[in-house]
């Protein structure tokens, strides 16, 4: 079923209400529309509602959607997946913010292909082995090294753990504490299920997929 601008507009009001009910200031939070598994209609519906930041976690899908947008200057693409060095050249012309940088090799390749690019350091705040991200104690050193390559390190990113939303609170709180210490303004944390916890703990950037577009289409 196609994603419509009207449907996204209604869900956007709901997301805004959730943010405000959690005590957040909607004007101070960047909403990234995660179009993973959705088609170009989702991107167009987001743009029609004034949402200019869109995120993808697969290189091929981001590049394909970027090529299909009529007004590419009107959108900021966020790459949410773990950065693979062999995909950087293809992504570099399109990506405004690389959110999944968790090791120096990835940062060096971004710096080579897109000097001065904006990046976030991804931290595995839950220590789950299947999740990407560096350990929180490794983050200060990685931030410093990335800055030495002249990348614009804007902040930190994390994915909450599996389970109830409140389980994300300790990790999100640790991320914000570290971001404060490193003087990093962007704290990308919080998705559809745990956005209230993220807002309460100081998120400045939410990554919302199903909360904007509805259930993900089947990929089988």
């Amino acid at each position: 079923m196609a994603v419509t601008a009207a449907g996204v507009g209604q869900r956007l009001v709901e997301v805004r209400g959730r943010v405000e009910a959690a005590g957040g200031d909607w004007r101070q939070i960047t909403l990234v529309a995660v179009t993973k598994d959705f088609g170009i209609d989702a991107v167009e519906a987001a743009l029609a509602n004034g949402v200019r930041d869109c995120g993808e976690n697969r290189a091929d899908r981001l590049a394909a959607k970027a090529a299909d947008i009529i007004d590419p200057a009107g959108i900021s693409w966020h790459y949410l997946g773990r950065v693979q060095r062999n995909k950087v050249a293809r992504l570099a012309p399109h990506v405004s913010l690389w959110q999944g940088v968790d090791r120096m090799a990835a940062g060096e390749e971004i710096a080579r292909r897109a000097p001065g690019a904006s990046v976030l350091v991804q931290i595995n705040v839950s220590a789950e082995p299947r999740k990407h991200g560096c350990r929180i104690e490794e983050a200060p050193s990685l931030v410093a090294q990335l800055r030495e390559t002249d990348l614009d390190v804007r902040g930190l990113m994390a994915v909450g753990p599996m389970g109830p939303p409140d389980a994300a609170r300790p990790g999100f709180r640790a991320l914000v504490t570290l971001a404060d210490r490193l003087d990093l303004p962007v704290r990308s944390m919080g998705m559809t299920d745990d956005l209230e916890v993220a807002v309460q703990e100081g998120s400045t950037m939410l990554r919302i997929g199903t909360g904007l577009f509805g259930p993900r289409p089947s990929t089988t």
Side-chain angles (χ1 to χ4, degrees):
M1 185 168 59
V3 176
T4 66
V8 170
Q10 180 178 347
R11 293 188 182 97
L12 186 61
V13 171
E14 294 170 356
V15 171
R16 179 174 181 172
R18 290 175 62 186
V19 168
E20 292 175 344
D25 183 348
W26 181 254
R27 298 166 298 178
Q28 301 300 316
I29 293 175
T30 300
L31 178 66
V32 180
V34 181
T35 58
K36 171 187 174 182
D37 297 332
F38 294 97
I40 193 67
D41 54 332
V43 180
E44 292 170 343
L47 293 174
N49 282 280
V51 179
R52 302 295 176 188
D53 294 88
C54 291
E56 280 286 334
N57 69 337
R58 285 184 51 179
D60 55 345
R61 292 182 179 176
L62 190 154
K65 288 174 182 173
D68 286 341
I69 292 295
I70 296 174
D71 179 18
I75 186 169
S76 293
W77 283 107
H78 296 233
Y79 187 60
L80 306 176
R82 190 169 195 247
V83 180
Q84 296 176 290
R85 295 178 65 185
N86 63 340
K87 302 291 179 64
V88 171
R90 186 179 184 191
L91 290 169
H94 309 296
V95 174
S96 297
L97 181 62
W98 304 78
Q99 291 211 29
V101 179
D102 62 0
R103 64 202 190 286
M104 195 57 201
E108 289 173 339
E109 187 64 16
I110 293 170
R112 188 167 77 90
R113 299 289 185 173
S118 296
V119 304
L120 303 183
V121 168
Q122 181 174 357
I123 298 175
N124 184 348
V125 294
S126 64
E128 293 174 281
R130 292 187 178 183
K131 278 194 170 63
H132 299 306
C134 67
R135 293 181 297 174
I136 196 162
E137 61 268 24
E138 297 171 338
S141 175
L142 180 56
V143 168
Q145 292 178 69
L146 291 170
R147 283 173 167 165
E148 289 178 358
T149 69
D150 291 328
L151 290 174
D152 179 15
V153 184
R154 303 288 313 284
L156 306 177
M157 183 270 252
V159 177
M162 298 291 291
D166 211 57
R169 194 176 298 278
F172 287 169
R173 186 170 296 173
L175 182 146
V176 170
T177 298
L178 180 58
D180 286 343
R181 179 158 66 88
L182 298 177
D183 196 25
L184 295 170
V186 178
R187 298 96 194 271
S188 175
M189 56 189 201
M191 298 188 289
T192 298
D193 290 340
D194 59 11
L195 73 83
E196 284 88 355
V197 172
V199 168
Q200 290 164 2
E201 294 302 330
S203 174
T204 66
M205 183 176 287
L206 297 170
R207 308 182 304 274
I208 307 297
T210 58
L212 280 182
F213 303 122
R216 297 194 184 282
S218 174
T219 56
T220 57

